[in-house]
Amino acid sequence: MSETVEARLAELGIVLPEASEPAAKYANYVISNGLLFISGKGPAGKPKGKLGQEYTTEEGYQFARLAGIEVLAVLKEALGSLDLVKRVVKIQGFVNAVPEFEEPHKVLNGCSDLILEVFGERGLHARSVLGASTLRDNLPIVIDSIFEI
């Protein structure tokens, strides 16, 4: 990638917020053996509710994108520069949904698409997504992630 990640963010019109703080007594991120692990992040504004009940798949996609921006903000705080990311290793999403909701993977695409837009080839990642009967603060999605630095 010839341009900087910050330049790419500007092209996309994304301004990173201040990194959000952990919701309890745990680290926002941990660096170990060249990997940076970011604790679960939800979307800014802390919307509440379930996919398939209060929210549609399309709204969930936007929430996942917003949660991805929160992840990027923590990553920037941890490293100082997003250009220090060698590779996005894994994105894992937990989607607060009714049991009948069958599209958690489409919701998590909001974060995956963002990561690929921002990091290009370095952003191609492994991922998993799980439907959950409940999440902290009744958030619609929580995303945790692993980066090689």
Side-chain angles (χ1 to χ4, degrees):
M1 183 177 235
S2 58
E3 66 182 340
T4 67
V5 176
E6 270 83 9
R8 184 70 187 129
L9 286 172
E11 283 176 19
L12 294 168
I14 297 171
V15 176
L16 295 181
E18 291 292 317
S20 58
E21 293 297 318
K25 292 183 181 179
Y26 56 85
N28 225 4
Y29 62 88
V30 170
I31 298 173
S32 179
N33 295 320
L35 296 175
L36 188 150
F37 299 80
I38 296 181
S39 295
K41 292 292 165 190
K46 300 199 183 331
K48 296 180 181 284
K50 291 186 177 292
L51 277 290
Q53 186 170 299
E54 286 85 9
Y55 300 115
T56 65
T57 300
E58 294 74 24
E59 289 169 314
Y61 177 98
Q62 292 304 319
F63 291 143
R65 188 172 178 89
L66 290 172
I69 290 171
E70 293 290 318
V71 166
L72 293 175
V74 173
L75 190 60
K76 169 112 174 147
E77 176 184 76
L79 300 176
S81 170
L82 296 177
D83 292 315
L84 296 176
V85 172
K86 289 183 182 176
R87 167 118 209 208
V88 181
V89 177
K90 184 159 187 183
I91 302 293
Q92 182 165 311
F94 300 89
V95 178
N96 188 4
V98 296
E100 303 79 28
F101 187 72
E102 296 182 353
E103 299 184 317
H105 59 293
K106 291 182 180 178
V107 169
L108 191 55
N109 285 345
C111 182
S112 290
D113 290 349
L114 170 72
I115 294 299
L116 288 167
E117 289 170 20
V118 170
F119 289 103
E121 223 174 82
R122 292 185 288 167
L124 190 59
H125 53 275
R127 80 175 210 179
S128 55
V129 62
L130 304 162
S133 62
T134 185
L135 292 176
R136 72 174 164 83
D137 300 327
N138 200 27
L139 291 170
I141 187 166
V142 171
I143 295 172
D144 61 46
S145 48
I146 304 169
F147 299 83
E148 181 184 5
I149 55 172

